[in-house]
Amino acid sequence: MLNAVSSLTVHRLPFKAMGSACEVVLAAATSEEAKVMAQAAIAEVLRIERKYSRYTSDSVIAKINQQAAKTPVACDAETWSLFQFASQLFEKSDGLFDITSGVLRRAWNFKQAQVPSVEQLENLLPLIGWQKVTLKNQTIALPLTGMEVDLGGFGKEYAADRAAQMLKEKGVTSGYVNLAGDMRFLGPKPNGQPWMIGIQDPRHPDQVIATLPMSQGGLATSGDYERYFELNGQRYCHVLHPQTGWPVKHWRTVSVTAPLAVLAGCTTTMAMLKEAEGLAFLKSTGFDFFAIDHAGDVHVHS
């Protein structure tokens, strides 16, 4: 067995998906074998992107949004299970994790330093509210014109978990999937050592502020530095509160490890949205976390 392990080498296969730099890292005997195994994982990520992207007019999400205030849309089993998951997240977060809040993008464009008017936000807030959506007989109906659903809140993490499942089915026992920082691990390095994953300093993009040892499960990070602008000394980040329409302010960065990437990702987002109550929430999950609040204080549970 030791000889079999020692004959494996680590291969890194980068690819582009979901507008981001992504990577499959795995241990295999040859680069050809690594490519074949990685291709199955990459194909799964691209399938999910095509199916659920909000940027293409023929995706499942686009078709549902096009039918807002019109007719219910039938869902296949995968889509239905994702909407059931969205319902659980909405309930567990007291309405903070809301996949209808993507309409706020119409007011906030983080490529330019411009704060929307109160009127702009007031016009969008009535279109937000997962509790308004009708889920019945495996169909979804959005009641209001202009309402949207958007799986961006956990789509990337779901894709990381699915891609990892593809690798597992190919027999990969050492490696991970990294979708722009949303990661799922299948086992340690061939020598049994954990993968050492750096967490970016939220105020110094070229520096690492912590290094986490990972062998199994998911790792995700949310922060106020991924998409943001600064105006008059105030930082406005892309994590938007669905009930006010304004960016959250309490956390600079939150990283969580959990059994699945999708669990890690939803937990980081909920912590960001809960703001001052986020720390108590993180502790209540039992997951390991590394977080820095708005004052620069570090909070760790490992």
Side-chain angles (χ1 to χ4, degrees):
M1 184 62 196
L2 279 174
N3 287 341
V5 170
S6 62
S7 68
L8 298 178
T9 54
V10 173
H11 301 266
R12 294 178 176 273
L13 298 106
F15 66 103
K16 269 288 186 62
M18 303 178 180
S20 306
C22 304
E23 189 177 37
V24 172
V25 177
L26 58 84
T30 66
S31 59
E32 287 73 24
E33 186 185 9
K35 276 181 195 167
V36 169
M37 294 192 291
Q39 201 48 53
I42 294 168
E44 179 69 352
V45 172
L46 297 177
R47 177 192 74 81
I48 292 167
E49 179 177 20
R50 279 193 306 273
K51 186 172 180 178
Y52 296 115
S53 173
R54 63 173 183 257
Y55 298 110
T56 55
S57 58
D58 60 345
S59 72
V60 168
I61 293 300
K63 288 171 183 170
I64 291 167
N65 293 341
Q66 287 155 14
Q67 289 301 315
K70 295 176 188 171
T71 53
V73 178
C75 301
D76 64 8
E78 181 180 35
T79 305
W80 186 247
S81 70
L82 291 173
F83 286 144
Q84 296 300 315
F85 184 57
S87 293
Q88 292 173 16
L89 294 172
F90 183 76
E91 286 165 28
K92 285 179 182 171
S93 65
D94 299 320
L96 290 178
F97 200 113
D98 190 327
I99 69 166
T100 65
S101 63
V103 294
L104 291 167
R105 282 192 314 277
R106 297 174 198 167
W108 293 94
N109 175 5
F110 291 94
K111 290 176 181 169
Q112 56 194 53
Q114 188 174 346
V115 173
S117 68
V118 171
E119 187 183 25
Q120 273 180 293
L121 294 177
E122 283 179 351
N123 289 338
L124 291 172
L125 290 176
L127 300 177
I128 298 170
W130 183 245
Q131 77 280 3
K132 300 172 187 175
V133 175
T134 302
L135 294 172
K136 196 166 78 176
N137 301 330
Q138 212 162 311
T139 68
I140 182 170
L142 307 182
L144 302 171
T145 303
M147 217 174 164
E148 291 180 8
V149 289
D150 175 1
L151 297 184
F154 58 79
K156 202 143 48 80
E157 295 92 335
Y158 170 68
D161 286 329
R162 287 291 311 146
Q165 183 60 32
M166 293 292 151
L167 294 178
K168 193 175 179 182
E169 288 171 12
K170 294 280 184 188
V172 176
T173 57
S174 171
Y176 60 87
V177 177
N178 180 2
L179 304 186
D182 293 318
M183 308 176 76
R184 175 69 189 277
F185 296 81
L186 284 153
K189 294 178 182 179
N191 64 5
Q193 295 290 313
W195 306 94
M196 302 306 291
I197 307 300
I199 302 298
Q200 181 183 321
D201 185 321
R203 293 297 177 265
H204 303 281
D206 54 344
Q207 293 178 27
V208 168
I209 202 160
T211 306
L212 307 183
M214 295 294 303
S215 294
Q216 291 283 353
L219 168 64
T221 300
S222 292
D224 69 358
Y225 59 91
E226 294 156 315
R227 292 202 312 281
Y228 72 95
F229 63 82
E230 288 183 347
L231 188 65
N232 301 326
Q234 174 76 54
R235 178 178 289 245
Y236 297 88
C237 82
H238 79 287
V239 182
L240 302 170
H241 197 292
Q243 291 153 10
T244 67
W246 287 89
V248 296
K249 291 180 181 177
H250 189 80
W251 296 101
R252 292 184 185 179
T253 185
V254 180
S255 295
V256 170
T257 64
L260 300 171
V262 76
L263 287 177
C266 295
T267 304
T268 63
T269 302
M270 278 192 211
M272 291 285 291
L273 290 166
K274 284 179 179 284
E275 300 205 80
E277 295 169 11
L279 185 59
F281 164 72
L282 285 169
K283 288 176 178 174
S284 76
T285 65
F287 298 149
D288 291 347
F289 63 84
F290 174 89
I292 303 175
D293 65 23
H294 62 97
D297 292 331
V298 176
H299 307 269
V300 183
H301 179 266
S302 58

